[in-house]
Amino acid sequence: LNLVPDEQALSIYFLYNFRKNANDVGATTFYRDPSLFTLDLGMLGGGIRYFPSQKIFIDASFAGNDKRTTGDSTFRGLLGYKTKIGDRFNLYTGLGAASYVITEKSPRSGEATMYYYTPTIQARVEYRLQSRIGVSIAAGYDFIAKIGPEKYNGGKRVILGKLSFEPSVSLYF
C-alpha cells in the first residue's frame, strides 16, 4: 500500500541549518567580548518540497534565528533531481539560490543589517521511515560568503561559512 503518489507529491519539512563562521578577525574587539566573534550559526526553519514527477523536485525553505548578537534569516529555492539509492534511501541533489539577511546587534552602536544573494548547491540523503515520514541530512554549499555589516570593526564583523549541514524531518502527502 503506497499512500504517497510517485508524481504530484508534496512534502513539508522542519529543518535545523548549522554552519560555522569563517571570521578572520582576532578575539580582540572593540567590545572585548569574544562571544561577539563566535558564530556557530544554527537556524530553525521549514520548507516545502514539490515533486511534479518521480525524479524532479522544487524546494523552497526559510530558516532564521534571533541571538543576542545576531539576527539572521535565509530563504532558499532549489530545483533538483531525486535518485533512489536503496530500498528506503533517496539522494536529492539540487541547485538554486539563497538570500540572507544578517542583522548585527550591539549595545553601543544599535543594529546594522546586510542583505546578500548567492548561488547554492545541496545534496541530501533521506531515510524513509514509512511512505509518509522521512528523516534526512544534507550538506549545502553557498558560492558567495559576504562579510557582515560594515558598521562593525571595519566590515569584518561576520563572515558566514559557505558550507552548511542540515538535518530535517519530512512529512509527505
Side-chain angles (χ1 to χ4, degrees):
L1 179 64
N2 186 3
L3 302 175
V4 178
D6 290 332
E7 294 182 3
Q8 305 296 321
L10 189 65
S11 168
I12 295 173
Y13 61 94
F14 305 95
L15 64 88
Y16 179 78
N17 184 289
F18 175 80
R19 68 182 66 230
K20 296 287 272 182
N21 68 334
N23 288 355
D24 58 1
V25 180
T28 304
T29 72
F30 291 139
Y31 313 111
R32 307 275 187 236
D33 183 357
S35 69
L36 293 176
F37 283 85
T38 59
L39 184 67
D40 294 338
L41 181 62
M43 295 188 286
L44 291 173
I48 190 164
R49 202 173 288 129
Y50 172 64
F51 297 85
S53 70
Q54 275 188 318
K55 301 286 185 185
I56 303 295
F57 69 90
I58 300 165
D59 185 315
S61 67
F62 175 81
N65 74 5
D66 188 17
K67 292 187 176 182
R68 180 176 62 88
T69 57
T70 60
D72 308 298
S73 62
T74 181
F75 174 78
R76 179 185 62 222
L78 297 171
L79 178 63
Y81 189 78
K82 173 184 154 186
T83 306
K84 192 168 184 70
I85 57 174
D87 187 35
R88 292 180 175 241
F89 287 93
N90 294 309
L91 172 67
Y92 300 92
T93 54
L95 75 113
S99 68
Y100 290 89
V101 178
I102 302 171
T103 303
E104 290 300 314
K105 302 172 187 175
S106 166
R108 291 186 183 179
S109 304
E111 291 188 1
T113 301
M114 181 188 68
Y115 304 88
Y116 77 94
Y117 306 93
T118 177
T120 187
I121 58 173
Q122 186 183 77
R124 174 180 303 278
V125 175
E126 180 183 64
Y127 175 72
R128 295 290 281 270
L129 298 169
Q130 56 166 295
S131 70
R132 291 200 181 267
I133 300 172
V135 293
S136 65
I137 183 75
Y141 185 81
D142 294 336
F143 289 95
I144 299 170
K146 290 280 190 169
I147 297 173
E150 295 181 10
K151 186 174 180 179
Y152 297 100
N153 208 11
K156 295 187 177 179
R157 178 63 181 85
V158 172
I159 305 171
L160 290 181
K162 293 181 179 182
L163 181 65
S164 66
F165 296 97
E166 189 177 282
S168 66
V169 175
S170 302
L171 303 173
Y172 287 87
F173 304 96

